[in-house]
Amino acid sequence: MALIDLYRAGRLQGLVEHARQVLRRDPDFGFAWKILGVGLQSLGLPALAELEKAAVLLPGDAGAHANLCDGYREAARLEEAIRSGRQAVALAPALAEAHINLSAALHAAGQYAEAEGHARLAVPLSPGDLAARVNLGNALREQGRLAEAIEAYRQGLQALSGQPAPQMGQLDHPIGQPDLPMGQPDLPMGQPDLPMGQPKLLIGLGIALMRNGELDAAAACFRAAAQSPADALEAQGNLLFLLNYTQVAPQTVIAETRRYRELMQARIQPRTRWQRGAEPERQLTIGLVSGDFCAHPVGYFLESVLAALAGNECRLLAYRTRRCDDAVWARLRPAFAEVVEAAGLSDEALANRVEQDGVDILVDLAGHTAHGRPGVFARKPAPVQHAWLGYFASTGNPQIDYLLCDAHVLPPAEEPLYVEKPWRLPDFALCFTPPREEVAPAMPQGGVTFGCFNNLAKLNDAVLDCWSQLLKEMPEAKLLLKARALAQEPARAAIVERFARRGVGAGRLLLEGPAPRHAYLEAYRRVHVMLDPFPFPGGTTTVEGLWMGVPHVTLKGDRWIAHQGEMLLRAVGHPEWIAADEASYRRLARSLASDQAQLAALRQNLRAALLASPLCDAPRFAANLQAAWRGMWRRWCAEQGAPV
């Protein structure tokens, strides 16, 4: 049977064996190298050497260079991937595969605008290609062009399923079941009226809808995608992330978390042996996994800690799941003995690399957020694994041993809501790096302005109900909202319409998109009182607001993320800004906004209080973190029978 016939029949193992037989007879047969590489790739086996050989022997074959582009991307060799992809496009501008693979490589490198361009070229060349449609939606989404991304995903669903995809707002499926009792993990997934055949598009659509504040519609997409066995884990992980933005009961969240754990246990086999000496006091190798080693909350909260850890007893490795080379990364980079660019590596390949690197403790800094790699942690490439900083709930990952937390965000009474064991730091689980930008606090001019600089997904209906009532109680006050999505007119129009339904006119709203950090910090000077959304309050935005001398009102919560605002306000000595209920929340906001003398004093003193708190004591935090790592390691060594 000919090579091409084996390929078309999907007989991949036979294809690989036959190609190798052909190459033993004719080692310079380029087509055999090309199809061998494709066969190995399809089997999930290493194929880069074969793809490289094919491209050398077939310099004018666009398909060979497109395949090599994909191979380099999977090996996280992104510059070479982009170079091969450009060569493929130059050779055959009408080859959809060349544009698709180059788009994926550009996306992995964070070059979203160019990734969009090649995805747009691929779609008409191959209208039924799933990857082209997914690439286009993803590139638009990562540029913050949410309305366009939503439409691109919808068009993809319609084109690939033959059914009209629902418009935003048409989906009406409840996010959760708040009254579900503990101990019942099997929530009904439901059968939402969505095209079921393209879960990757549904997941992309769900993420875009979530970022746009369309939480019910996003949940319906994730639940629909979870019906696909191949995509259930990814869909369920996104659903867990979304639930943090909602007011469903904690019991619902843990039930869905346990569902995720069961899915992962059924699909991924973890390692149980490692080539590590169980020596409790030796130098430790710590691996940090994140796509946010940059100007991002993770980067801001890491910076001073990593600097304070310099020269300590641990060797730090960075596994970057997204490449982002900015000024923050330049300051973080010296802390790491080695950096692994992991954006294109499969979960298995990255887990193998972690194991080869001899990592003792692997730290998940992303969880179910963007660029997270739960599949790597599920393979247990390090003896000890813990989550910290980037996520704010139970990951549901059965191979995450600990959540690094504190008693404020995870009190003992709430431990049944988590799959992992808590490892509590003695002070707080966050350490803020003060901004380098020179922006002094200042009292705002004019009438009262409330503010919230959090992303739109946090502004659920209960939050808007509360804020609308507050604005009615203070008829002259305005509300400044600042978020990335608000750079786009459709997002601004949607927010205006949501407030209008609650009797608050557009004239009461100040809507702004993102800004460089200096200008962003200056925006706090126009706000009298910051309003925390709930149940997902601010983190970085709260500390930045406190840095700028602005008081915050937060609502007492019932789970980790909902406790975050409480934790930050307690840290700076202002627990009186924590409201017990929504009525108290509004009273507190009115009281703070009306006391000009108090506001002026806070502008002068709040930054000093923040700097004096444990939230900004990096050496203290670094010592606590190092002690936590040593404690985790000693416990593991003891479990292996080593004396400690």
Side-chain angles (χ1 to χ4, degrees), residues 546-567:
L546 296 171
W547 171 258
M548 292 303 300
V550 188
H552 281 60
V553 176
T554 198
L555 189 64
K556 184 174 176 58
D558 59 1
R559 67 202 80 178
W560 180 329
I561 187 55
H563 292 309
Q564 183 170 265
E566 304 168 45
M567 177 264 285

Side-chain angles (χ1 to χ4, degrees), residues 22 35 157 269 307 334 378 429-430 457 462 519 541 577:
V22 170
I35 205 159
L157 285 166
Q269 186 68 33
L430 296 176
T541 55
W577 296 344

Side-chain angles (χ1 to χ4, degrees), residues 449-466:
T449 299
F450 295 107
C452 178
F453 294 178
N454 286 268
N455 70 66
L456 297 187
K458 297 183 181 183
L459 308 190
N460 58 57
D461 287 342
V463 169
L464 263 59
D465 288 344
C466 181

Side-chain angles (χ1 to χ4, degrees), residues 156-165 195:
L157 285 166
Q158 184 168 348
L160 272 65
S161 70
Q163 304 175 31

Side-chain angles (χ1 to χ4, degrees), residues 150-151 154 158 164-171 194 209 214 217:
I150 289 165
E151 183 59 23
R154 290 186 60 257
Q158 184 168 348
Q167 298 285 345
M168 283 191 300
Q170 285 184 340
L171 305 176
L194 284 169
L209 288 166
E214 301 277 340

Side-chain angles (χ1 to χ4, degrees), residues 206-274:
I207 294 170
L209 288 166
M210 178 171 62
R211 292 184 185 178
N212 206 45
E214 301 277 340
L215 301 186
D216 282 339
C221 288
F222 297 144
R223 291 188 187 281
Q227 305 300 319
S228 162
D231 298 278
L233 262 178
E234 184 182 0
Q236 187 72 5
N238 278 289
L239 180 62
L240 292 186
F241 179 61
L242 179 146
L243 290 177
N244 290 289
Y245 292 90
T246 72
Q247 291 190 301
V248 298
Q251 291 85 352
T252 297
V253 178
I254 188 57
E256 293 285 18
T257 303
R258 290 171 181 158
R259 176 186 290 278
Y260 180 85
R261 178 185 62 185
E262 292 164 5
L263 285 169
M264 186 163 274
Q265 287 173 325
R267 285 163 172 75
I268 300 176
Q269 186 68 33
R271 291 160 173 80
T272 57
R273 290 179 174 274
W274 306 268

